[in-house]
Amino acid sequence: MSNESLANLLKEERRFEPPAELAAHANVTAEAYEQARADRLGFWAEQARRLSWATEPTETLDWSNPPFAKWFEDGALNVAYNCVDRHVEAGLGDRVAIHFEGEPGDSRSITYAELQRDVAKAANALVELGVQTGDRVAVYMPMIPETVVAMLACARIGAPHSVVFGGFSADALATRIADADARVVITADGGYRRGKPSALKPAVDEAVERSEHVRNVLVVRRTGQEVAWTEGRDVWWHDVVDRQEETHTPEAFPAEHPLFILYTSGTTGKPKGILHTTGGYLTQVSYTHHAVFDLKPESDVYWCTADVGWVTGHSYIVYGPLSNGATQVLYEGTPDTPHQGRWWEIVQKYRVSIFYTAPTAIRACMKWGDAVPAKFDLSSLRVLGSVGEPINPEAWIWYREHIGGGRTPVVDTWWQTETGGIMISPLPGVTSTKPGSAQVPLPGIAATVVDDEAREVPDGSGGYLVLTEPWPSMLRTIWGDDQRYRDTYWSRFEGRYFAGDGAKKDDDGDIWLLGRVDDVMLVSGHNISTTEVESALVSHPKVAEAAVVGATDPQTTQAIVAFVILRGGAEEADGLVEELRAHVAKALGPIAKPKRILPVAELPKTRSGKIMRRLLRDVAENRQMGDVTTLTDTTVMDLIQAKLPSAA
Ligand code: 6R9
């Protein structure tokens, strides 16, 4: 992609200074950048001391065999001890670790002392079931406290977990169980979703039937629904876990001991099992959670709305917050059950002060209207975070205004399953924020933007995002496939990690993420990012959401086709499409004006909320649609196709 074309199409001039009060007491100040610049490895060695090590590491990084990194290699620690026991030993046993809110309205609060007992019992149960250090355990669960307990129990005994999102099919689960060669599956009868019980056990039964090595299925009773039972293989959590001893002595594992495998679906081929290890991972998620959210564990109530089935749930529900002794909310269900204000009701109930969610959810809330959050007291909020996709400036501003009361910093955090922890983000007490930009690599992180020839681009230009130095929570490999690890991430640009995202540097050198590189369009010789056209569309008052694709076009190579969801109440009146085209031309220039704009009711999204532009491209190019199995709702595509007068 050429530089000139990705550069600064969208001008965003608004700036927000950190609140003075927050800046004055911030966990991390501007000095951290200087300290890390002066001695990067020394900086990370210092952050590692946030943790409690059974054997203190004397080495920081071994990069003698790139791209295979070893961090803190001669150190040893137990992750569960760091996330639970040490807080109890420090006298914080009565602090609430988890305020659980079930979708049907049931709730319970679990202290660190209770969590310690629960994790010890679950660890003892796994040992009784014959799980040994190094054995893989698959976890296929709803969003309930037992899921967190199960993950910590695995970590405690050194058995890497492989959490599979509860919305995935039996097929997806079977492939992941087979690839990780899991010996035990932890699941539940079901969970509550959109007001009704949604079964999990049948998918496990189907998946396990096809796997040779699964010995036991450990089942939590959540919904009480009927389940099929295989004697000798299936065991109830309440039968096995409840009767265990309440203590368990944690063993220290080497820093590079595998902690978990988490699968990410590549655009092609089989899913990649991303491997994370112990010491470096915990160091970075602990530090970044402390720095980016400015967590004050004694007074803050933190809430991340992600599912634990995604990396965000691993790093910023389980390991980051718990290692920092946070009090957090864990919510089982969807944001609009039983009403569209459910999230804000929960914020009000627990006086949530730090809130972390995804742009797709923010745009859904915008669509439901400003009146919904306005009904609740959101004055406890002081830091808001975003993750998962580029956040359109309009959504950023709406989030700050309508959720943050115009007071709170918004931190747009860029990272990936592969990076393990946050990499690029403003710091709430330091950075003057720009709506829509993740801005700066965190202290100790080295990132830049390069062109096709791997040359760093000047400020004001675009290209590919790369990471130029190893970082503590980096993936160590793709499970069982070192060559694919090299090929996917380390061969596009010699010696640098290729993230697969397009990015630009603005005139101040701040980084703007432009979406996956496959989502860049080529129109009459210009590269135009789908993200920027989408942002321009969403900045129109009548548009709630937009997805943009490049469709093959005989005249212009690709033509811009936009699918838009109109805001509540907006009519698909005559002239609206013309108005929107003109609006984009005004915001970005005539070259970015969509050739076609189609109002639709829904957009196709993956279960983690990312728009599947590939399917929209199929529609726009009048093609047979590709694989739809990772969609949340497959009927969405039928609706979109039915809308088309005549494709392309
Ligand atoms: C944490 C997570 C990773 C991909 C990543 C990028 C996109 C995530 C973003 C963002 C722009 C942000 N992404 N955060 N793009 N701004 N703040 O989402 O991990 O599911 O592996 O996805 O998500 O495209 O490469 P994962």
Side-chain angles (χ1 to χ4, degrees), residues 264 310-312 386-391 412-418 424 438 499-501 513-516 608 610:
T264 72
W310 310 121
V311 73
T312 307
S386 172
V387 60
E389 280 180 290
I391 177 166
D412 174 14
T413 64
W414 179 89
W415 59 294
Q416 307 178 297
T417 304
E418 292 87 339
I424 305 177
D501 282 331
L513 277 307
L514 299 173
R516 305 294 299 167
S608 64
K610 294 183 178 31

Side-chain angles (χ1 to χ4, degrees), residues 100 108 118 122 126 137-154 161-169 173 176-177 184-193 198-204 217-223 225 235-238 241 262 306-310 313-314 317-318 330-333 607:
F100 171 66
R108 59 191 156 120
D118 291 347
L126 291 177
V137 175
V139 175
Y140 184 70
M141 293 277 274
M143 282 285 287
I144 56 176
E146 286 82 356
T147 311
V148 177
V149 170
M151 291 164 74
L152 291 169
C154 289
H161 53 70
S162 164
V163 181
V164 179
F165 174 57
F168 275 145
S169 64
L173 178 60
R176 286 160 178 76
I177 288 175
V184 167
V185 182
I186 306 180
T187 188
D189 48 1
Y192 291 97
R193 202 108 194 118
S198 156
L200 288 169
K201 179 77 168 37
V204 176
V217 178
L218 182 56
V219 190
V220 175
R221 184 138 69 201
R222 166 65 182 143
T223 58
Q225 65 203 116
V235 286
W236 284 112
W237 178 280
H238 55 260
V241 177
L262 182 59
D307 191 283
V308 278
W310 310 121
H314 283 60
I317 292 177
V318 182
L330 184 76
Y331 172 57
E332 178 182 33
R607 293 168 200 265

Side-chain angles (χ1 to χ4, degrees), residues 281-298:
Y281 172 81
L282 198 64
T283 296
Q284 189 168 335
V285 298
S286 173
Y287 172 70
T288 53
H289 182 257
H290 160 86
V292 172
F293 299 107
D294 192 47
L295 178 87
K296 308 283 196 274
E298 57 292 342

Side-chain angles (χ1 to χ4, degrees), residues 64-367:
S64 59
N65 178 30
F68 301 95
K70 290 178 180 158
W71 283 86
F72 312 117
E73 200 196 355
D74 62 347
L77 74 169
N78 185 286
V79 167
Y81 174 81
N82 272 277
C83 290
V84 185
D85 306 55
R86 67 165 169 156
H87 307 313
V88 179
E89 288 171 14
L92 304 172
D94 293 338
R95 179 184 290 169
V96 171
I98 296 172
H99 288 297
F100 171 66
E101 189 75 17
E103 201 191 70
D106 56 320
S107 62
R108 59 191 156 120
S109 294
I110 300 163
T111 64
Y112 274 95
E114 288 164 342
L115 188 62
Q116 183 182 34
R117 286 195 285 274
D118 291 347
V119 172
K121 287 205 258 182
N124 287 328
L126 291 177
V127 171
E128 183 182 307
L129 291 174
V131 179
Q132 293 179 0
T133 301
D135 283 353
R136 273 81 59 203
V137 175
V139 175
Y140 184 70
M141 293 277 274
M143 282 285 287
I144 56 176
E146 286 82 356
T147 311
V148 177
V149 170
M151 291 164 74
L152 291 169
C154 289
R156 194 171 186 95
I157 64 170
H161 53 70
S162 164
V163 181
V164 179
F165 174 57
F168 275 145
S169 64
D171 243 355
L173 178 60
T175 344
R176 286 160 178 76
I177 288 175
D179 189 77
D181 193 15
R183 299 307 156 100
V184 167
V185 182
I186 306 180
T187 188
D189 48 1
Y192 291 97
R193 202 108 194 118
R194 303 198 180 284
K196 47 182 197 295
S198 156
L200 288 169
K201 179 77 168 37
V204 176
D205 291 334
E206 196 185 325
V208 170
E209 224 155 79
R210 287 188 259 160
S211 80
E212 284 167 35
H213 295 136
V214 174
R215 293 187 308 255
N216 290 112
V217 178
L218 182 56
V219 190
V220 175
R221 184 138 69 201
R222 166 65 182 143
T223 58
Q225 65 203 116
E226 261 322 290
V227 289
W229 206 253
T230 304
E231 286 304 331
R233 184 197 73 185
D234 297 350
V235 286
W236 284 112
W237 178 280
H238 55 260
D239 281 344
V240 183
V241 177
D242 288 1
R243 62 173 164 73
Q244 300 291 329
E245 292 284 336
E246 288 187 351
T247 55
H248 173 273
T249 310
E251 184 189 334
F253 297 103
E256 285 297 337
H257 187 77
L259 179 61
F260 65 84
I261 302 166
L262 182 59
Y263 287 85
T264 72
S265 42
T267 34
T268 53
K270 68 170 194 172
K272 302 188 282 268
I274 303 303
L275 176 68
H276 284 289
T277 59
T278 298
Y281 172 81
L282 198 64
T283 296
Q284 189 168 335
V285 298
S286 173
Y287 172 70
T288 53
H289 182 257
H290 160 86
V292 172
F293 299 107
D294 192 47
L295 178 87
K296 308 283 196 274
E298 57 292 342
S299 53
D300 275 316
V301 178
Y302 167 84
W303 181 16
C304 166
T305 67
D307 191 283
V308 278
W310 310 121
V311 73
T312 307
H314 283 60
S315 302
Y316 298 105
I317 292 177
V318 182
Y319 296 112
L322 295 177
S323 65
N324 289 332
T327 295
Q328 69 176 317
V329 171
L330 184 76
Y331 172 57
E332 178 182 33
T334 47
D336 52 347
T337 307
H339 57 83
Q340 294 175 334
R342 183 69 190 271
W343 274 6
W344 317 124
E345 187 177 64
I346 295 172
V347 168
Q348 173 177 284
K349 174 173 174 184
Y350 294 104
R351 309 251 348 122
V352 171
S353 54
I354 305 171
F355 183 75
Y356 192 28
T357 194
T360 178
I362 298 165
R363 290 189 300 259
C365 294
M366 287 172 77
K367 189 168 59 186

